[in-house]
Amino acid sequence: MKKLLALLFFCHVASPVKHSLLYFLTATSGVPDFPQFMGSALVDDFQVGYCDSNIKTAETKQDWRKFMKDNPEHLDYYINECYESQHFFKATIDSLMKRFNQSGGVHILQRMSGCEWDDETGEIRGFNQYGYDGEDFISLDLQMLTWITPKPQAFITKLRWDADKARLHRNQYYFIHLYPDWLKKYVQYARSFLQRTDLPSVSLLQKTPSSQVTCHATGFYLNRADLFWRKDGEELHEDVDKGEILPNHDGTFQMSVDLNISSIAPEDWKKYDCVFQMSGVKDNLITKLDKSVIRTNWGKSVRTVESGNETYLSVFCSRDEI
Ligand SMILES: *[C@@H]1O[C@H](CO)[C@@H](O)[C@H](O)[C@H]1NC(C)=O
Ligand SMILES: *[C@@H]1O[C@H](CO)[C@@H](O)[C@H](O)[C@H]1NC(C)=O
Ligand SMILES: *[C@@H]1O[C@H](CO)[C@@H](O)[C@H](O)[C@H]1NC(C)=O
């Protein structure tokens, strides 16, 4: 499973001039509680849409709904792709298992396809490759317009697919023309929201004077952000417990990181701070570990908490602690 997930969520850091449109399709066999088919579309590493054999159709991420509404032919294409690919992948994984003499066990068939576009040089690169059980199976050489494979078991596939000239030319059209055109449109549209940056409000919270101090950042956008504790300017990895980035209802994000203060002497508190860092934003938000800025309702009635957010505090502390 580890391998599958690593491949699925494989990510590369896109440079500002290199843009990518990636389609990941995955079929699994013998993995309980996991969709037999999943598909995902990413533009510059951001998910645009998603499809799987449970929901049975393509769904668009919130940021892309307007685009799909204004360009319904794109959504129609993805809904159709989702349907067709499901059947193709299911049939293909069944026939691969037979070809590898596998009667059971866990198997994974993946396809990564799409294109890259360098908006400075105009260079375009398309790709379409299949992997089976975590290893390269067959991939398309778009220059030579031929399928290449390192696996003897894929040779029969190569021969069949090479013979299908109409399909080869269709592939060439999609990967060299159509997808790059779409990518340019997507990048243009994405500028409207990818360049938005909302900084969060950061607070330090604590339930009791001896419990850990939570540094909480909420209201940030995009979710390419990090929150961590430092001591003397160095990021701390011990005595910290980092939470995941979670979505807020308004489309922004929140995250928190706890610092175990039990072994920190009072005079050392000033050496610590909590740092919020966002990709593409030069200045970090730094909050010093300081008793006077920690929000708590320990020993106080909620109403007297200065600058406290009552709504937040009542969620943060369970009822019997108030
Ligand atoms: C599968 O089994 C057949 C018949 O026993 C054999 O000829 C073939 O080499 C096997 N294939 C693999 C990939 O092991
Ligand atoms: C904090 O650290 C102390 C001492 O290292 C440990 O006993 C305690 O369990 C830790 N607390 C949490 C919440 O991890
Ligand atoms: C308190 O927090 C809630 C939920 O995050 C937010 O809606 C509200 O505006 C906050 N109020 C103040 C006074 O900061």
Side-chain angles (χ1 to χ4, degrees), residues 211-242:
S211 56
Q212 28 188 20
V213 175
T214 299
C215 179
H216 179 81
T218 185
F220 57 91
Y221 188 96
L222 287 163
N223 58 354
R224 287 185 174 180
D226 199 9
L227 186 69
F228 53 90
W229 282 99
R230 289 190 314 194
K231 182 190 182 189
D232 294 325
E234 297 277 339
E235 180 172 352
L236 278 178
H237 297 284
E238 273 170 35
D239 297 322
V240 291
D241 185 12
K242 198 162 176 159

Side-chain angles (χ1 to χ4, degrees), residues 17 28 32 65 93 97 104 116 120 136 179 186-187 208 224 275 293 313 315:
V17 293
T28 59
R65 301 230 164 105
I93 200 167
M97 283 175 67
E116 281 181 344
E120 233 166 51
D136 291 343
Y179 290 155
Y186 293 163
V187 167
T208 72
R224 287 185 174 180
V275 180
V293 304
L313 283 172
V315 174

Side-chain angles (χ1 to χ4, degrees), residues 96-102 153:
L96 284 178
M97 283 175 67
K98 285 202 191 87
R99 198 178 298 173
F100 282 88
N101 293 340
Q102 295 156 334
Q153 291 89 346

Side-chain angles (χ1 to χ4, degrees), residues 20-51:
S20 62
L21 172 60
L22 285 177
Y23 299 115
F24 285 104
L25 302 180
T26 304
T28 59
S29 178
V31 188
D33 304 323
F34 200 73
Q36 285 190 338
F37 173 79
M38 299 168 44
S40 195
L42 293 96
V43 169
D44 288 354
D45 297 340
F46 286 93
Q47 197 176 36
V48 173
Y50 177 82
C51 143

Side-chain angles (χ1 to χ4, degrees), residues 199-205 214-220 227 255 274-277 285-287 293 295:
L199 290 174
S201 59
V202 180
S203 353
L204 301 183
L205 307 157
T214 299
C215 179
H216 179 81
T218 185
F220 57 91
L227 186 69
M255 103 182 268
C274 172
V275 180
F276 175 84
Q277 207 171 51
L285 293 181
I286 296 171
T287 312
V293 304
R295 295 176 178 192

